[in-house]
Amino acid sequence: MATNLVSEDMNFDSVENCTMSKWVPMGDYIASNRDECTATLVYAVNLKQSGTVSFEYFYPDPSIYFEFYIQNDQCQAADVDSRWMKVTENEWQTNSVQLNRGNNVLYWKTTAFSVKAKLPKPVLLRNIMITGVAYTSECFPCNPGTYASNPGTSVCSICPRNTFTSKGATGCQECSKEQYSEPGSASCMQRPPCTEKDYFYTHTPCNTDGQTQRMYKWTEPKICSEDTEGAVKLPASGTKTPCPPCNPGYFQINSSVCEPCPYGSYSNGSVCTKCPAGTEPILGLEYKWWNVLPSDMETSILNVEKDEYEKTGGWVVAEDHIFSGAGSSDRDYIILTLNIAGFRPPQSITQVSENREIGQLSFVFEMLCTEACELYFMVGMDGRSGGVVESWVGQQDKQPYHYIIQRNSSVSFTWAFQRTSQHGTERRFSGDIAKIYSVNVTNVMDGVSSYCLPCALGSSDSSSLCTSCPPGNYIDKASSSCFECPVNTYLESHRPYGKQACVSCGPGTKSNQGTKLATCIDNVTDIRISGADSKTVTSFICQATIVSSEVMGYKTVVSSQPVSLADQLLGVTIQTVLNNITSPEKIFPRGNNVLRDVIFFYRSTETTQVCSTGRATTIRMRCDPLKVGSGVISAPSKCPEGTCDGCTFHFLWESAEACPLCTEMDFHEIASACIHGIQKTTYVWQQPKLCKDGITLPEETVGICTTMDFWLKVGIAVGICAALLLIVITCYFWKKNQKLEYKYSKLVINANMKESELPAADSCAIMEGEDAEDDLIFLSKKTLFGKIKSFTSKAHRTSDGFDSVPLKPSSQGITDMDL
């Protein structure tokens, strides 16, 4: 036979180091890991014949996945009904499985998935018993604190309280009066002096005189000594004090008993008053005075050592509060349960189809603790035990808590207080207590009323029954008539009175008559088991952690308790902040995408210890034309679960449906070359295309155009003409310049001649540079007409090319020449 007991460490996609994640021995039990790693407890045994394995386990927290399976020496899994263990709530359960002959390897595996920002409760194992092994070859002495009175005893018995034994004892010895011991002790300890934390008080029922008595009792088991120096004595009991008033909705009979007011009336705890005409009582339960435990409440103690419930003790009433009793050990659970048969919302309350609020539970509590005590709040539906909704650890100041009921069924609300989960025999935290000051449940069936509200009038004036207004209508208190809320407003749940009950829709939203919601189901079970209990959460966005595991050659889906992330749509905008909810752009970089994301802002009304104002969720809608259909949803890379703090969740939804409608700004035109006087114009989308639907691309157009060759020819012709004109002008001015030079030189010569001398003729021929068509110079003054006539008198020119000029004498005897 070969046996071993090891802890196998496995990393399950965790960013943390899992080397310290293992099962830890805790005395008479062994505890699992609590982090997000997988720890496996392995026990290998060789059976000489077929046998069984049985063990007790304590599995209170569904945030840990706990499985048990068996393999042979060839790693083949044995056939078992289900490898997934069921949650045990607050009690130990026993599991038994058949074992085959030969080698058997037993596996207990746990993996934690923390949805909230706190560690889950560990799984506990004890009393692992295996049959079918070989007989032992020797006997072993009993451990200290245990004994065996008869020979041949297979199990050593534990010594009771205030006794002790050494190793190998056959009986237990009594402790002295000044000493005490816990069960299974090897020695006795000195009793400490009694303090005020070692006793508590209760109240007797009110008598006919309207008085109650305060009774003091020692906390059991009593380990302190009253005779030690500095010890306190138990105060005297029987002091009479006035009874506290009745709770709202009740009235007092004979100054001693509180009875509920009849339907149709209300009270503040004194006398019942009928509701005025046109009003209805708002039913509920409100407990804020604690003289006796209400009839719909019950209390008990879960003794962890004995694994049984004790009806005595539990929570103790104390006038203005109720507190947790002592119990028999610090590990006991002090349990208080409130049972509600059903709910009845007021007739005048509009029933909203989405996220309908049936009722609400609220309570005010306080925890006075020196160590890591813990208070659990649990909700069960339809007679089934419920899971832990919220828990608080350590010292807690006086604070309220609210829970929304969204399903009309019988409900049990349970508070369980534990001083410590650590194994130990000594009572060190008996003074740690939890106090509940008030409990208020709305819309309770067969409840009582502390006030009345106006009814909405029906279509028939003769009817006195309250009827509900149509959806989106509020009740006017003055006329009790229904009025429709303004456009783009909605009626706030359970506030139908007055126009102020109509709340404006958020940015980018409008009022409607219904919304398709998401559904998450809790299904921690084997797929082969039919009819398994499950919890459903319906909201805009919900979350359930999914884990797949290989079982018997196929996959089983395991999901955690679902939670709602979005009960209300606050608004839709491109801004990153709305109603104190921020969606940072850096968590989802846009890259080259120039379009801004459209952000949906949501809020959930479910509050937790960490998320005192509820959860919030943002969804960024980003345009991606390549992701058609439903697109792709992703979480931030640094927070793969969608949240980094457990309260605010961020998601990116990339889809073509997030793209804006196409407009004329989203395409441009491309014109082709002009070929044979024809040009084509084509329209194409801007790249990258960031739009969808809208307008379509225009058809290709064809137009008449002028080719480049024609304009080239025109340009060449114009250039040639301009060049010729330039040449002509240049020649003209050059010739003109030559004439001016010639005339200037002649003037210079004439200026140097003697007076009354005529210049000598150089030649009878035309000189170079002179034009035969030179203008005639008239020495005598002529009119303009005469000059023109001289220029035009070409007929006088002789056949040899010279002009015939007449000569006449001048008046001064000097011959003048008319040229």
Side-chain angles (χ1 to χ4, degrees):
M1 180 180 67
T3 61
N4 61 354
L5 183 64
V6 299
S7 178
E8 176 185 344
D9 304 320
M10 301 174 65
N11 193 319
F12 197 88
D13 297 334
S14 175
V15 297
E16 299 179 358
N17 187 357
C18 292
T19 57
M20 300 302 295
S21 180
K22 60 183 65 179
W23 290 76
V24 181
M26 302 292 292
D28 59 352
Y29 66 91
I30 185 170
S32 72
N33 64 316
R34 303 172 64 186
D35 51 16
E36 293 188 347
C37 298
T38 297
T40 305
L41 180 69
V42 183
Y43 187 83
V45 61
N46 184 276
L47 300 186
K48 299 301 181 182
Q49 61 183 12
S50 298
T52 60
V53 56
S54 63
F55 58 91
E56 297 180 35
Y57 68 97
F58 183 74
Y59 180 20
D61 197 336
S63 297
I64 292 184
Y65 299 106
F66 178 35
E67 55 182 327
F68 169 72
Y69 58 95
I70 305 168
Q71 291 182 347
N72 57 21
D73 52 2
Q74 297 180 355
C75 295
Q76 296 175 341
D79 189 8
V80 294
D81 291 337
S82 176
R83 68 190 292 173
W84 298 101
M85 299 291 99
K86 293 183 178 180
V87 177
T88 62
E89 303 301 338
N90 293 314
E91 59 185 10
W92 289 83
Q93 294 283 353
T94 301
N95 187 47
S96 181
V97 178
Q98 294 290 329
L99 298 178
N100 297 323
R101 180 181 178 182
N103 291 326
N104 292 267
V105 184
L106 314 180
Y107 294 89
W108 292 268
K109 183 181 293 186
T110 56
T111 304
F113 289 87
S114 179
V115 178
K116 303 173 184 177
K118 67 182 185 65
L119 292 176
K121 296 286 291 182
V123 176
L124 309 181
L125 289 179
R126 72 180 184 184
N127 296 337
I128 302 175
M129 301 183 64
I130 301 175
T131 63
V133 296
Y135 292 104
T136 181
S137 59
E138 59 178 321
C139 295
F140 299 93
C142 292
N143 290 327
T146 62
Y147 69 99
S149 58
N150 299 320
T153 303
S154 60
V155 179
C156 296
S157 301
I158 297 177
C159 286
R161 187 181 303 276
N162 294 328
T163 63
F164 72 99
T165 65
S166 58
K167 185 176 181 181
T170 58
C172 302
Q173 301 178 18
E174 293 283 343
C175 294
S176 64
K177 183 180 179 180
E178 295 78 16
Q179 293 181 323
Y180 77 100
S181 69
E182 298 292 339
S185 298
S187 61
C188 296
M189 295 177 289
Q190 196 70 23
R191 291 183 182 272
C194 293
T195 64
E196 294 179 351
K197 294 183 178 181
D198 293 315
Y199 65 84
F200 64 97
Y201 64 90
T202 61
H203 287 268
T204 62
C206 290
N207 56 23
T208 55
D209 297 329
Q211 291 184 327
T212 180
Q213 290 180 307
R214 178 174 290 190
M215 310 300 292
Y216 292 91
K217 298 180 181 179
W218 290 111
T219 301
E220 294 295 338
K222 181 186 176 185
I223 62 173
C224 65
S225 173
E226 302 175 62
D227 301 327
T228 307
E229 183 179 357
V232 300
K233 299 291 184 180
L234 187 67
S237 299
T239 303
K240 293 184 178 181
T241 58
C243 288
C246 294
N247 284 302
Y250 289 82
F251 69 100
Q252 204 168 51
I253 300 177
N254 298 328
S255 301
S256 59
V257 180
C258 292
E259 293 289 339
C261 290
Y263 180 76
S265 60
Y266 68 98
S267 82
N268 60 358
S270 55
V271 295
C272 299
T273 306
K274 288 187 177 181
C275 292
T279 65
E280 65 170 335
I282 305 302
L283 301 181
L285 294 174
E286 184 178 359
Y287 298 126
K288 62 180 182 180
W289 297 108
W290 306 89
N291 184 55
V292 294
L293 195 67
S295 59
D296 48 14
M297 281 188 173
E298 58 183 9
T299 181
S300 61
I301 297 177
L302 173 59
N303 191 316
V304 177
E305 300 295 337
K306 298 180 181 179
D307 190 19
E308 62 182 10
Y309 285 91
E310 300 174 355
K311 294 299 183 181
T312 59
W315 289 74
V316 182
V317 295
E319 295 183 353
D320 63 342
H321 68 275
I322 183 172
F323 64 92
S324 56
S328 37
S329 72
D330 289 344
R331 295 176 59 206
D332 289 352
Y333 288 92
I334 316 301
I335 299 173
L336 176 67
T337 302
L338 171 62
N339 297 307
I340 304 296
F343 296 88
R344 180 188 172 188
Q347 299 258 349
S348 57
I349 296 296
T350 301
Q351 297 300 316
V352 185
S353 61
E354 58 189 46
N355 302 322
R356 184 171 61 185
E357 180 181 318
I358 299 298
Q360 183 180 102
L361 168 103
S362 59
F363 61 92
V364 179
F365 71 100
E366 182 182 21
M367 295 172 62
L368 305 175
C369 302
T370 56
E371 291 293 333
C373 64
E374 192 160 7
L375 176 65
Y376 300 90
F377 174 64
M378 296 167 283
V379 179
M381 298 282 186
D382 295 327
R384 295 196 301 265
S385 298
V388 176
V389 175
E390 187 57 84
S391 62
W392 298 266
V393 180
Q395 181 84 12
Q396 297 290 331
D397 295 333
K398 190 176 181 180
Q399 58 186 281
Y401 177 79
H402 305 279
Y403 177 79
I404 305 298
I405 300 103
Q406 297 184 337
R407 195 175 102 187
N408 198 343
S409 62
S410 61
V411 181
S412 63
F413 301 104
T414 302
W415 295 264
F417 178 72
Q418 186 183 37
R419 290 176 169 84
T420 181
S421 59
Q422 298 179 1
H423 179 79
T425 57
E426 182 181 357
R427 295 212 65 174
R428 296 181 298 162
F429 312 113
S430 59
D432 294 355
I433 60 172
K435 293 182 179 181
I436 296 178
Y437 291 92
S438 64
V439 177
N440 187 9
V441 188
T442 62
N443 304 335
V444 176
M445 184 185 300
D446 299 329
V448 294
S449 175
S450 60
Y451 61 98
C452 299
L453 288 177
C455 296
L457 296 180
S459 57
S460 174
D461 294 336
S462 61
S463 175
S464 61
L465 296 178
C466 284
T467 58
S468 62
C469 288
N473 286 251
Y474 65 91
I475 303 174
D476 180 64
K477 287 186 177 182
S479 62
S480 295
S481 300
C482 299
F483 292 92
E484 186 176 0
C485 284
V487 178
N488 291 333
T489 64
Y490 66 95
L491 189 65
E492 189 173 13
S493 179
H494 290 275
R495 279 190 55 197
Y497 303 102
K499 192 174 181 180
Q500 65 273 12
C502 299
V503 182
S504 299
C505 296
T509 63
K510 63 180 181 179
S511 55
N512 65 350
Q513 294 297 328
T515 305
K516 185 177 180 181
L517 302 178
T519 300
C520 295
I521 299 178
D522 177 20
N523 187 24
V524 185
T525 180
D526 196 312
I527 62 175
R528 296 176 295 170
I529 301 177
S530 61
D533 295 337
S534 62
K535 176 186 176 183
T536 302
V537 170
T538 302
S539 62
F540 286 105
I541 307 170
C542 54
Q543 182 190 58
T545 305
I546 305 295
V547 180
S548 333
S549 179
E550 298 291 336
V551 182
M552 298 292 294
Y554 59 86
K555 283 193 174 181
T556 290
V557 175
V558 180
S559 62
S560 71
Q561 181 177 357
V563 294
S564 172
L565 303 183
D567 296 330
Q568 180 184 4
L569 175 62
L570 301 180
V572 182
T573 177
I574 60 174
Q575 303 300 323
T576 58
V577 180
L578 180 65
N579 288 8
N580 296 324
I581 303 174
T582 303
S583 175
E585 290 203 16
K586 62 182 180 180
I587 61 176
F588 296 113
R590 286 189 298 169
N592 296 327
N593 195 329
V594 296
L595 292 180
R596 298 190 65 178
D597 298 334
V598 178
I599 309 174
F600 288 69
F601 290 86
Y602 298 89
R603 187 177 291 281
S604 172
T605 56
E606 292 184 2
T607 59
T608 64
Q609 183 180 4
V610 178
C611 311
S612 58
T613 60
R615 298 183 179 91
T617 303
T618 67
I619 297 181
R620 284 181 169 265
M621 299 296 298
R622 180 169 296 174
C623 172
D624 191 339
L626 301 179
K627 297 175 181 177
V628 296
S630 59
V632 177
I633 299 178
S634 57
S637 58
K638 294 184 179 179
C639 308
E641 293 185 359
T643 178
C644 297
D645 59 3
C647 296
T648 305
F649 292 77
H650 304 281
F651 299 98
L652 174 65
W653 195 340
E654 298 175 284
S655 172
E657 302 298 329
C659 298
L661 297 177
C662 295
T663 64
E664 295 180 353
M665 302 297 295
D666 294 307
F667 65 83
H668 63 279
E669 61 180 32
I670 298 177
S672 64
C674 185
I675 302 175
H676 304 298
I678 296 176
Q679 186 178 44
K680 295 181 180 180
T681 302
T682 305
Y683 298 90
V684 295
W685 295 111
Q686 301 280 4
Q687 294 300 322
K689 180 185 176 183
L690 298 176
C691 66
K692 184 179 182 294
D693 298 336
I695 65 172
T696 58
L697 281 176
E699 298 291 337
E700 184 180 69
T701 59
V702 179
I704 300 175
C705 63
T706 305
T707 62
M708 181 64 69
D709 295 341
F710 171 79
W711 291 109
L712 183 61
K713 293 177 181 178
V714 172
I716 293 174
V718 172
I720 292 175
C721 293
L724 292 175
L725 180 61
L726 182 61
I727 293 173
V728 171
I729 293 174
T730 302
C731 293
Y732 170 77
F733 281 104
W734 178 80
K735 191 171 182 181
K736 197 74 172 174
N737 185 56
Q738 292 295 324
K739 291 179 181 180
L740 292 174
E741 289 182 357
Y742 173 72
K743 291 179 180 180
Y744 178 74
S745 61
K746 293 194 66 173
L747 289 174
V748 172
I749 294 173
N750 292 336
N752 295 328
M753 291 179 57
K754 294 180 179 181
E755 188 176 358
S756 300
E757 288 184 0
L758 293 174
D762 295 332
S763 172
C764 293
I766 296 176
M767 298 299 293
E768 183 181 359
E770 290 189 78
D771 191 354
E773 304 294 333
D774 283 347
D775 296 338
L776 298 177
I777 301 174
F778 296 95
L779 299 178
S780 61
K781 185 175 180 182
K782 291 185 178 182
T783 64
L784 177 64
F785 179 76
K787 293 180 180 179
I788 295 174
K789 185 177 179 180
S790 300
F791 277 106
T792 57
S793 58
K794 303 295 182 180
H796 297 85
R797 183 172 294 181
T798 61
S799 57
D800 55 2
F802 295 94
D803 291 337
S804 175
V805 180
L807 300 175
K808 63 179 179 178
S810 66
S811 58
Q812 291 85 2
I814 300 174
T815 301
D816 294 328
M817 296 180 63
D818 290 333
L819 300 179

